[in-house]
Amino acid sequence: MHMEKRNNLYHLNLREVSLKDGTEGSKKMSFTFSNHDDLFEIFERLKTKNIFEDEQTAHEFALGLKLFTEVMIAQKDHPLFEELRPSVVQFMKKLKSM
């Protein structure tokens, strides 16, 4: 796994707790990833901006967005993101201006 020096390194552990059919979850996943932003600083910034009603929602939003956009940046020439890129750029500008 190649990491650029200018990126922060994180480790995520994900575990199923329970499934919608009521059964107990059993699957686990763990991986390390990099991001050019300080994710904990972003969590704190979103918390103080009160964009969402609760902190849990803000954390889910921030983590999902940062994982997605970092892949989009790393895969900038991938055709999958071609139509989406301009909208994401506008969305990020709007989010940062709030």
Side-chain angles (χ1 to χ4, degrees):
M1 179 182 286
H2 174 67
M3 299 287 157
E4 293 181 12
K5 288 181 183 176
R6 62 185 176 87
N7 283 350
N8 301 303
L9 196 59
Y10 298 94
H11 187 80
L12 183 67
N13 291 313
L14 183 65
R15 179 177 61 90
E16 281 181 340
V17 177
S18 63
L19 303 177
K20 62 184 177 183
D21 66 4
T23 61
E24 188 176 325
S26 62
K27 295 177 186 164
K28 295 177 184 178
M29 176 190 295
S30 179
F31 62 95
T32 301
F33 64 97
S34 66
N35 199 287
H36 71 277
D37 286 319
D38 179 336
L39 296 184
F40 288 93
E41 183 182 307
I42 289 173
F43 293 149
E44 193 58 37
R45 220 180 304 151
L46 278 176
K47 180 181 170 182
T48 59
K49 286 185 177 189
N50 284 324
I51 295 173
F52 298 103
E53 290 182 18
D54 63 273
E55 193 173 326
Q56 171 85 23
T57 301
H59 288 164
E60 291 175 19
F61 170 76
L63 183 60
L65 182 64
K66 293 311 302 175
L67 286 170
F68 176 77
T69 55
E70 198 71 13
V71 169
M72 201 172 94
I73 290 167
Q75 301 289 321
K76 65 180 185 271
D77 296 326
H78 197 292
L80 181 63
F81 301 116
E82 192 175 327
E83 293 86 4
L84 194 54
R85 185 169 290 103
S87 297
V88 171
V89 169
Q90 283 303 112
F91 176 81
M92 294 303 289
K93 287 178 183 176
K94 180 178 181 177
L95 177 62
K96 289 176 181 180
S97 73
M98 295 181 100

